[in-house]
Amino acid sequence: MNVIETEGLTRVFTGRPDRGNRLRRSRHVAVDGLDLTVEAGESVGYIGANGAGKSTTIKMLVGILVPTSGTVTTMGLHPLKQRRALARRIGVVFGQRSQLWWDLPVRESFSILAAIHSLTAADERARTAELVDMLEMEEFLATPVRQLSLGQRMRAEVAAALLHRPDLVILDEPTIGLDVLSKQRLREFLVAQRREHGTTLLLTTHDMGDVERLCERILVVDHGRLAFDGTLDGLARTVGARRELVVDLAVATPDLTDVAGAEHVRSDSDGLRQRFAFDPQRMTAARVLAAISERAEVLDLSIAEPDIEDVVREIYRATRR
Amino acid sequence: MRPLTPPARNPYWRFLLAGFRGQSAYPLATLAGLVANATFGVLKGSIMGAAVESSGGELAGYTAGSMAAFVWLGQGLLGSVNLWGGSDLQTRIKSGDVAVDFLRPVSVQASHVLTDVGKGLFGLLPRGLPSVLIGVAIGGMVLPSDPSAYALGLISLLLGIAVSHACIYAVGTSGFWLVESRGVAVFYLSFSGLFAGLYTPIYLFPDWLLTLALLTPFPSMMQLPVDVLSGQVTGVAAWQHLGVQALWLAIVLAVGHLSTRAGRRRLEVQGG
């Protein structure tokens, strides 16, 4: 079954009339004739620059924004007309908005949501216990939401969205502002949920790590149109999503341009710090490092993942040509 | 027949409770509200008391004791009804958080109104009761002797709180069209207190103004419950008061329902 189906989905925002000319209004096409199909069990990363139309698409998918034209069906339902039926089957996390009760303890929020989704008392207990365990929330269950740290709140938000075991989970910037450890914990949880419940996942993100660890399929949106639809490998092939290894050397060293499998990008501080790019599909960081170590003493190193902005920019460049 | 849902599993009961409990998180604000209530109560009480006295001990059916009851019951209700016009719905539409409300398989109107009614009911404890006690202790307020005044008064009070928050919800839905609906709230504020009977009993108004007031839901929020609670109005007249309140409740709920349905299609949730 198709979990998401859109045909010619379009949303145009019209601004207020111009001061000088009352008949002219500013017009912004946020989503432009989007045809999209997502099947059950897929995990899809929906990426694009700010203002590319990601959030607008999601709002139409879940029925909080009316399309200007085109059709959208989510879980086989009409998002606007069948709002409540759809709400029972999807879980949505907006990284910037809270679905928890600000003044009440986290536990209370979960309990109210369980009642909203008509979970039985036994089911509520079992599911809450499972989520508390997997997302390590025991220590702050009794804390009012307004006193949670960002990392704690995001875990609680994700748990709140998944409490009723939705078939489709939509996450809008779920890891924004989280530290590395919190991000990792959240990703592991989402992977486990997919494995156990076959949940379909759709997420927008600015974090390449989210995409690489969570998504099998990537959609890149540009000016409201799909600029890329394929796998992570396909994306890497299209834009050459290379990693960068940065090494700090013990002494100033001439540019190491002869490292096999890696390309010397740049040297700083007279060659004390050198940067190498490599394709993770063909080369491992360890082998690149070994090759460098044969030529110079490495004091410190770091690996930079490509920014999602760079990937998106590359895609835009490739498709606009 | 479907088995009855126990209260704890009924989402609407939980909204009511969440409002009640959420409000208890701010004891300092509640205390400040009580102090302000009491201060203005003393002022209002002296002015209205003087007015009764200067007109020979009776004014529009009020004696010194019943006027004090009007003043202090009204002050006590201030923490439970919303006469200032703003609401959570208003701020949530503006911030876009209302999106979350629409993503729940429940009535958005019922969840908002019940949460606010829950807050209003909580307000009766730390603000309503103390106001009455102050009124009896220092304001010369007379309590009704007939027990039926309390029973009907309680129903009238609940209806008043419900009308107020259902009305505020309907006002808040203007945000679906306007996004920023603070102007509407200010407009509301400029009529609500006067017509609800916050400043003087509406029966002191000239006829045309009284008629105008009775064509709005505002008297149902404060004047009518205060009439019934104080025993100023009894018997058939009290039942009539309840009927008028119930009618207004139905009207403002219907308006809120229809404007939610229409406004939802206009909603443009801002930001991510």
Side-chain angles (χ1 to χ4, degrees), chain A residues 93-214:
Chain A
V93 176
F94 290 114
Q96 317 273 36
R97 307 188 190 287
S98 181
Q99 53 191 318
L100 306 166
W101 278 257
W102 199 239
D103 298 317
L104 301 180
V106 177
R107 185 199 309 275
E108 189 68 19
S109 280
F110 290 161
S111 176
I112 298 172
L113 285 167
I116 286 176
H117 286 287
S118 317
L119 265 58
T120 64
D123 202 16
E124 175 190 338
R125 266 194 303 277
R127 182 64 172 161
T128 307
E130 181 192 353
L131 291 169
V132 166
D133 179 49
M134 292 188 78
L135 286 164
E136 296 168 52
M137 299 187 291
E138 188 65 51
E139 48 164 352
F140 58 84
L141 263 187
T143 311
V145 172
R146 60 193 151 96
Q147 291 171 14
L148 297 184
S149 72
L150 178 65
Q152 291 174 332
R153 189 175 72 79
M154 281 313 297
R155 271 182 277 161
E157 293 286 354
V158 171
L162 271 72
L163 191 71
H164 57 294
R165 296 192 191 86
D167 299 312
L168 168 65
V169 174
I170 296 179
L171 307 134
D172 196 7
E173 301 284 354
T175 57
I176 201 163
L178 295 188
D179 61 45
V180 179
L181 204 66
S182 305
K183 275 184 194 174
Q184 195 47 34
R185 194 151 39 183
L186 199 55
R187 288 172 189 152
E188 279 167 13
F189 167 77
L190 290 169
V191 168
Q193 286 295 304
R194 272 198 69 211
R195 198 174 45 228
E196 282 163 36
H197 302 287
T199 314
T200 310
L201 213 61
L202 175 68
L203 66 108
T204 74
T205 181
H206 276 90
D207 191 316
M208 201 58 195
D210 286 348
V211 173
E212 290 189 336
R213 284 168 189 81
L214 291 171

Side-chain angles (χ1 to χ4, degrees), chain A residues 242-264:
Chain A
R242 295 193 302 179
R243 265 188 220 181
E244 207 169 70
L245 177 67
V246 184
V247 291
D248 287 348
L249 305 175
V251 291
T253 312
D255 294 357
L256 300 169
T257 50
D258 58 343
V259 177
E263 183 194 335
H264 180 269

Side-chain angles (χ1 to χ4, degrees), chain A residues 11 13 55 59 62-66 79-80 83-84 87-88 92 94 97-99 101 103-104 108 111-117 119-121 124 146 172, chain B residues 8-12 14-15 18 21-23 25-26 92 95-97 99-108 178 264-272:
Chain A
R11 173 70 206 208
F13 290 102
S55 288
K59 285 169 196 161
V62 301
I64 49 177
L65 187 68
V66 181
L80 272 171
R83 171 180 80 84
R84 292 202 211 181
R88 292 194 181 279
V92 185
F94 290 114
R97 307 188 190 287
S98 181
Q99 53 191 318
W101 278 257
D103 298 317
L104 301 180
E108 189 68 19
S111 176
I112 298 172
L113 285 167
I116 286 176
H117 286 287
L119 265 58
T120 64
E124 175 190 338
R146 60 193 151 96
D172 196 7
Chain B
R9 308 234 63 80
N10 181 320
Y12 297 110
R14 300 297 298 266
F15 283 123
R21 287 201 192 143
Q23 200 64 6
Y26 301 98
R92 287 176 76 81
S95 70
D97 286 348
V100 174
D101 304 340
F102 279 106
L103 289 172
R104 291 179 176 149
V106 288
S107 154
V108 172
L178 303 171
R264 215 183 125 211
R265 305 188 62 86
R266 311 256 329 178
L267 180 66
E268 284 177 14
V269 172
Q270 315 285 313

Side-chain angles (χ1 to χ4, degrees), chain B residues 4-253:
Chain B
L4 275 176
T5 320
R9 308 234 63 80
N10 181 320
Y12 297 110
W13 171 252
R14 300 297 298 266
F15 283 123
L16 190 78
L17 220 55
F20 191 89
R21 287 201 192 143
Q23 200 64 6
S24 67
Y26 301 98
L28 211 59
T30 306
L31 181 68
L34 174 63
V35 171
N37 274 185
T39 312
F40 280 99
V42 170
L43 272 174
K44 215 162 90 179
S46 339
I47 296 169
M48 294 315 296
V52 172
E53 200 182 333
S54 68
S55 53
E58 216 223 272
L59 177 63
Y62 286 92
T63 61
S66 62
M67 186 58 95
F70 163 82
V71 168
W72 288 101
L73 286 172
Q75 290 304 102
L77 255 174
L78 266 183
S80 301
V81 297
N82 180 339
L83 296 179
W84 67 280
S87 61
D88 264 3
L89 178 69
Q90 185 190 340
T91 47
R92 287 176 76 81
I93 289 176
K94 195 178 161 198
S95 70
D97 286 348
V98 73
V100 174
D101 304 340
F102 279 106
L103 289 172
R104 291 179 176 149
V106 288
S107 154
V108 172
Q109 182 187 23
S111 52
H112 271 272
V113 174
L114 284 168
T115 303
D116 287 344
V117 168
K119 289 182 191 174
L121 290 177
F122 176 80
L124 290 176
L125 302 179
R127 290 179 66 175
L129 282 178
S131 290
V132 172
L133 294 180
I134 295 170
V136 171
I138 66 164
M141 167 180 167
V142 180
L143 291 172
S145 48
D146 180 5
S148 79
Y150 293 95
L152 290 181
L154 195 65
I155 300 171
S156 184
L157 179 67
L158 293 179
L159 279 169
I161 292 172
V163 170
S164 163
H165 295 293
C167 192
I168 283 293
Y169 176 87
V171 170
T173 56
S174 64
F176 289 132
W177 287 269
L178 303 171
V179 182
E180 170 60 275
S181 57
R182 250 186 315 187
V184 181
V186 171
F187 186 72
Y188 188 89
L189 175 65
S190 52
F191 290 99
S192 58
L194 183 67
F195 287 168
L198 174 65
Y199 311 122
T200 68
I202 59 173
Y203 311 117
L204 265 54
F205 291 171
D207 283 345
W208 65 270
L209 193 59
L210 178 60
T211 310
L212 195 63
L214 290 174
L215 288 172
T216 70
F218 299 118
S220 290
M221 301 172 190
M222 191 177 262
Q223 180 72 59
L224 305 193
V226 167
D227 286 348
V228 181
L229 261 176
S230 62
Q232 183 79 0
V233 167
T234 53
V236 178
W239 283 102
Q240 274 173 355
H241 269 35
L242 299 191
V244 170
Q245 287 183 291
L247 184 67
W248 274 113
L249 181 60
I251 292 172
V252 291
L253 282 175

